[in-house]
Structure formats: structure tokens, C-alpha cells
Amino acid sequence: MRRKRLIVLVIAVVAVLGAGAFAVLAAGQVKGSAAKTAAAYFDAWRKGDVAGMALLVDRPPADFFDRHRELSQNLHVESIRLTPGPVRGTGEETAEVRFAGVRELTDLGPWPFDSTLRLGVRDRAWRVLWTPETLHPLLKDGGTLEVEEVEAPAAELVTSEGAKIPNDSYADAYLNPLKPEFAKANHGLELVSRMPGRPDKALLTRLPKANVERTTLSQPVQAAAARALDGVANSSIVVLRPSTGEILALADRLEDNFSAVRDAFPPGSTFKTIVAAALLEKGVATGDEMGCPASYAPDFAAAISNDGDVDRGTVTFADAYAYSCNTTFVEQATSRLSMEDLRRTAARWGFDRPMATGVGGRCGTMQQTDDTDMFSLDVIGQGTVVATPLCMATVAAAVQSGTWRSPRLLSEDDVRRVDGEPFPDVKLDEGVVGALREMMAAVVDHGTASQAGLPEGVAGKTGTAEVQDQTSHGWFIGYRGDLAFCVFVRNGGSGRSAAVPIAVRFLNGL
């Protein structure tokens, strides 16, 4: 009996001790696990449930909600994908989960990142130990992430074929000022990381597509024109397509801020093309014979001489043009033309008008005068007559095509938008332009541009314009097929010695 009571007592003591041990064990038990807490946090994060995330964080900072909301709003986050790795213990009551994430940004697309979720036991439960770098490592130590606007790339102007403008094209002075005309209003965006004491770092960039605008420049023609000017200072070439007025090349090495499009110079004997047109309109024919003495003086006016005081005797009108007989042209003009006659003809051929090219420009001018001496000088491209190289290129183009056309560097619509309405085409007298073609061909065949190496099929006119106390300007205008050009060398010497060799290099380089 006594043995039975002892057994019961022992059982009771063991029960009491067991209950006490269980109570102690239960009192020290940790709720949940690192894996479950991490999984719940990632799930809430994917859903954008910031309140649910905060419940899993040990003592979340006061700005926990604001940090998440502002990052999503500032970066325009559409969604987030999270791929956790395995839970790894880092101590008795700490663990971490490395994870990969991808934020989908509305404006910049997917943005991948890698970070680490750290966990620890707090108040007998597994909690997230949150810091700003949990959102992104670059937010550590006061770092910030921002999306900013960046300037859109400048418009890119290309050739008519869509190719880049050749290097060293000598056209930049015209193309660069055009680029703002084609700038688009939209901007690019850039995701920028800023860390105190460190330079800003661009993480993602989205630039709008370059605004590519075609000009009328031809890649091979522009390249040939530029290379023809290499090594020749103070020179320019303007090349047109006579059938359309398109500027195929604009290579300009003029110094002292002079422009082949906007600045006018005395055109010398190239202006005899306009004078010849006026005389042809008055009934002079290419085969008419006339004198080409060394010197000629109109009534009550000073004498005009040929270059080198050459006396050619009697020549045809075509040969007077081919040999550039100053005396012939002055005699014929002063006896057959009034100043008003010559000004009207010059106006039909582009003078006294601005040019809507897309890069501005003008043609030429000739002042009204009753002075016979000044009129004589005008006839040979001196006096009050001035013209731009662009202007004289249009004269050559009009001879080739029979129509004077306003030159343009851009599409017709862009020219109207940038420069205004161009001057309408002017249909020229077929008999006049036919005669001028014959005369310009004679210049190259046996005149002042003969035996200079010009390719077959070229017709043209040389010009030498005297400049007081300076070297003369050299000119050569011409055409070959559906291509017309003007070569101008400021203070370069005679047309034959300075301008024609450039034309030879240009045409042979095509």
C-alpha cells in the first residue's frame, strides 16, 4: 500500500516538472520562421500592399510609406517582379534573402536590380530588418534615384540620298544654323543615381529618335565640290540642278565671314551672259560680225580696254563672248541698250530679288545710272553690278534649262516655312537661251576656258573682276548635263587661272 502511494507521488512530481519545463519552453518559442516572413513580405511587395509590408517590419521608420510611394511615383513604376533566392542563416536569430527584382518604368522600360532582404528575431517573432537599400542598394547612405528630362538630340541634316553630310564639306556654316528649325519639342528621359560626395550616374536613358531631315545636297556632288576646294583659301562652289533648282552642293571657304549665298561681289565678265541676253532680245545674232578692238570709247565717255589690250579685229558676236571682248560688249550695249533695258533683262534672270532657299540668300543688284562711264563698267560686270555666287549659279542653270528657278536647299514646303514663298519660275525666250548655249560652249571650245582640262560637254563663262588695291576676283560659271555651277575665288586672280582649275577638279571628281 505504501509502495503504491510512492509511485503515485513520483508520477505527480514528474507531471509537475514536465508542465514547468513545457511552460519554460513555450515562453521562449519564436513565432513563425524567416522563410515565412520573407515570403509574406515579397508577396505584399508584389501587390503594392505597403501597409502589409509595414506589419512585417521591425519598427518601420516614419517615412516608410512615403519612401515607397514617392519612389514609385517619381520613377513612374508600373509593376515590379521579385525573384527571391533561398533563405540563408547569418546567425542564431538572423537571416537574409538575396533577391532579383525588375521594376517596369512607364517611360524607360524594364529596370533590373539586385538587393538583399535582411531578417531577425524581435519580440520572439521573425521580422524584416528594413533599411532604404532594401528598396534599392543605391538608396544607401542618403542616395536618391530620379527621372529627369534631357535635351533631345539636335536635328541631323543629311543628303538627298539620306547619307551623312561628308566630313569637311565646307557646308557647316549653312547647315548648323538650320538645325533649330527642325528641333522637336519632346525631350529624352534619364534615370539618375545621386550619392553624396560622388558624381551623378546615369542608369537608364531614353532619347527620342534623331530628327533626320533631308536636304537637297547630293552626297557625291558635295564631296567632289569640297575636295575641289581643298587647299584653296577664300573660295566657294555652288552647284544646282537646273531642272528643279535644287542645290546639289554648297561648299564655302570664303573668309572674313563672307557668304556665297548672301554676299555680293562684282561678277566681272560672267555678267556678259546677262548683257548678251539683252542684246539677243534686241535682235543681235550669234553670227553677226563686229569689231573687237584693243580699246573703245563711247561718245563722251572714257575708253574701255580688253584684257592685255588685245586687238582681235572683226569677230562674231559668239566669239566676242567666247574671247570676253570688253570693247565689243561696251560698243554694242551703249549703242543698242538703255540702262532700263539691261535692268529688265537682269530682273528676268534673278537680279533685284531675295532668294527663298531655306538658308536665305539673294541674287544681285545693278543701280540705276545716267552716267555712260558707269554704264560701260556695268556692262563688263564692274561698276555698280554685284552678284552672289549663288546668283551666278542660277544664271548658268537658267541657260541650261531655259527657265530661271529659285534655288533651294530644302524641300519646297520647308523652304516656305523657313524662308517664305520663293519667287515663281521664269520661262526664258527659247531663242535667247539657245544662242547663249552656243556662246557658252564656244568659251570652252576655243575661248577663255579652252585647253584647261574641262571634261567634254561643259559650257561656261569665265570672269575676272577687278578690285581696287586688291587682287581680282576669279569667276567661272557653267553647266554640264543637268548640273550647273559657279566657282568663285575671292581675290584669287583671273577666272581662267583661279576658278577654272577648281571647276576641272570638281567635274573630274564626280
Side-chain angles (χ1 to χ4, degrees):
M1 188 75 173
R2 186 172 174 177
R3 182 180 178 84
K4 188 179 290 186
R5 281 198 206 99
L6 183 60
I7 292 172
V8 171
L9 182 60
V10 170
I11 293 171
V13 171
V14 170
V16 171
L17 291 175
F22 176 78
V24 171
L25 183 63
Q29 186 177 15
V30 177
K31 296 178 182 177
S33 67
K36 288 182 179 180
T37 300
Y41 189 85
F42 285 124
D43 186 52
W45 195 353
R46 292 185 187 99
K47 296 175 181 177
D49 182 7
V50 181
M53 295 162 66
L55 292 174
L56 299 168
V57 174
D58 176 53
R59 289 170 293 184
D63 62 353
F64 182 83
F65 288 86
D66 291 339
R67 278 184 173 272
H68 285 77
R69 185 185 70 252
E70 289 175 3
L71 185 70
S72 292
Q73 289 178 351
N74 293 343
L75 304 190
H76 302 163
V77 179
E78 288 184 349
S79 62
I80 188 168
R81 300 193 301 275
L82 301 167
T83 306
V87 177
R88 187 173 70 89
T90 56
E92 290 186 3
E93 295 185 336
T94 58
E96 66 180 21
V97 180
R98 294 179 181 175
F99 64 96
V102 179
R103 287 183 172 92
E104 191 69 35
L105 309 186
T106 301
D107 302 308
L108 292 168
W111 177 41
F113 69 101
D114 294 303
S115 192
T116 300
L117 186 72
R118 291 182 172 82
L119 305 104
V121 176
R122 300 291 188 271
D123 300 328
R124 299 189 302 278
W126 280 98
R127 314 283 288 181
V128 172
L129 307 181
W130 189 89
T131 57
E133 56 262 38
T134 306
L135 270 171
H136 196 285
L138 292 175
L139 297 175
K140 185 179 181 179
D141 299 330
T144 60
L145 294 165
E146 300 174 23
V147 173
E148 298 181 340
E149 285 188 350
V150 294
E151 288 188 10
E156 181 183 2
L157 299 177
V158 298
T159 67
S160 60
E161 302 91 349
K164 288 185 176 296
I165 305 295
N167 292 331
D168 301 321
S169 67
Y170 306 130
D172 290 346
Y174 301 100
L175 300 178
N176 289 340
L178 263 181
K179 292 179 180 179
E181 293 287 347
F182 297 98
K184 290 185 175 178
N186 61 321
H187 296 275
L189 294 173
E190 197 165 66
L191 176 60
V192 180
S193 166
R194 289 193 170 91
M195 299 287 286
R198 299 182 190 177
D200 294 352
K201 182 180 180 182
L203 306 175
L204 286 177
T205 302
R206 190 211 72 192
L207 294 176
K209 287 184 178 180
N211 183 23
V212 178
E213 296 289 339
R214 296 195 183 210
T215 66
T216 61
L217 297 178
S218 161
Q219 194 277 335
V221 179
Q222 180 68 40
R227 298 295 69 79
L229 295 186
D230 285 343
V232 184
N234 228 356
S235 57
S236 66
I237 302 180
V238 181
V239 186
L240 307 178
R241 177 173 283 128
S243 60
T244 63
E246 294 169 292
I247 299 175
L248 302 181
L250 182 51
D252 190 345
R253 297 195 68 196
L254 295 179
E255 299 171 358
D256 302 323
N257 293 319
F258 281 107
S259 163
V261 167
R262 293 180 288 274
D263 292 307
F265 309 88
S269 292
T270 60
F271 187 69
K272 287 174 182 163
T273 309
I274 303 295
V275 180
L279 290 169
L280 289 164
E281 290 169 358
K282 288 292 185 178
V284 176
T286 58
D288 289 352
E289 293 187 342
M290 49 196 66
C292 177
S295 177
Y296 173 77
D299 291 341
F300 311 109
I304 296 291
S305 299
N306 287 331
D307 183 36
D309 293 322
V310 175
D311 184 344
R312 295 190 178 274
T314 301
V315 296
T316 64
F317 183 48
D319 281 349
Y321 179 88
Y323 297 130
S324 205
C325 290
N326 291 338
T327 55
T328 306
F329 270 78
V330 170
E331 180 184 8
Q332 294 297 317
T334 55
S335 61
R336 294 174 181 266
L337 301 175
S338 67
M339 169 60 76
E340 208 48 52
D341 290 333
L342 188 54
R343 284 172 60 85
R344 274 196 300 269
T345 300
R348 277 194 292 277
W349 289 75
F351 276 62
D352 293 313
R353 69 182 63 143
M355 289 182 171
T357 64
V359 291
R362 63 189 181 114
C363 190
T365 59
M366 181 174 56
Q367 297 175 15
Q368 180 70 42
T369 181
D370 295 326
D371 186 316
T372 304
D373 287 336
M374 189 59 67
F375 182 61
S376 297
L377 291 173
D378 286 342
V379 167
I380 60 173
Q382 303 278 168
T384 68
V385 176
V386 291
T388 63
L390 174 66
C391 179
M392 297 313 296
T394 68
V395 170
V399 173
Q400 192 278 344
S401 69
T403 300
W404 185 92
R405 291 183 171 88
S406 184
R408 59 183 176 86
L409 186 67
L410 304 173
S411 71
E412 293 178 354
D413 288 342
D414 284 334
V415 166
R416 290 186 180 93
R417 178 176 62 82
V418 175
D419 268 356
E421 191 68 28
F423 197 87
D425 293 352
V426 178
K427 181 69 174 174
L428 301 169
D429 183 273
E430 292 182 4
V432 170
V433 294
L436 288 173
R437 290 173 194 146
E438 177 187 338
M439 295 163 74
M440 290 180 75
V443 171
V444 177
D445 179 69
H446 57 270
T448 55
S450 63
Q451 299 181 343
L454 288 164
E456 186 177 351
V458 175
K461 181 70 185 82
T462 58
T464 304
E466 295 179 359
V467 184
Q468 186 173 2
D469 299 326
Q470 297 181 46
T471 305
S472 299
H473 301 321
W475 294 81
F476 185 54
I477 65 172
Y479 62 86
R480 185 192 190 198
D482 196 18
L483 181 151
F485 59 86
C486 173
V487 178
F488 173 65
V489 186
R490 180 170 168 259
N491 303 128
S494 72
R496 179 179 175 86
S497 65
V500 172
I502 294 174
V504 171
R505 289 198 298 275
F506 162 63
L507 293 167
N508 287 333
L510 291 173

